[in-house]
Amino acid sequence: MMVQALLRVCPRSLHLLGFRITLSYLILRNPGLKKKWATIEGKRFRLEADDIGKSYPFYVKNGQVKVFWKGLESPDVVMRGTFATLVDLLCRRADADSLFFSRKLVVEGDVQASMFLKNLLESL
């Protein structure tokens, strides 16, 4: 509960900076991943941590993941869950399919792009 309260009051810019650093680190650990990101070039995504009221919008450009600092109104794909669920997904402690079928992760939007993103997250 204490961690959730701290995450809830933490400024959006710090959340996005942490998200950007985390994604960069995960991608650097997997050099072959850059080519795979090209499959979702131009698509816009938003991860939403509904328990803390924060979202993490990003897109792929030139094989690199970029964070939307100003927000994102109409993403192609939204993945929603608790902050812990999203961390588990990014850290590969849980796979997207099991989270989805256990209703811990909600996926909305472009089905093909969401499948590509799911596969990419699982290969981090």
Side-chain angles (χ1 to χ4, degrees), residues 50-87:
D50 52 12
D51 60 332
I52 62 168
K54 303 291 181 184
S55 65
Y56 307 90
F58 64 98
Y59 63 102
V60 177
K61 183 175 182 177
N62 299 325
Q64 295 183 334
V65 179
K66 306 283 187 177
V67 173
F68 277 104
W69 292 96
K70 301 269 184 191
L72 174 62
E73 294 302 317
S74 56
D76 296 296
V77 176
V78 175
M79 289 188 170
R80 183 179 304 113
T82 64
F83 184 79
T85 297
L86 298 177
V87 169

Side-chain angles (χ1 to χ4, degrees), residues 32-44:
L33 203 55
K34 189 173 182 175
K35 285 185 180 182
K36 291 181 182 180
W37 283 105
T39 59
I40 54 175
E41 179 80 25
K43 296 292 184 179
R44 298 165 303 172

Side-chain angles (χ1 to χ4, degrees), residues 88-104:
D88 287 346
L89 181 64
L90 288 172
C91 294
R92 295 182 59 195
R93 290 190 293 242
D95 67 277
D97 289 334
S98 64
L99 292 172
F100 177 78
F101 288 114
S102 66
R103 296 188 175 143
K104 292 181 179 180

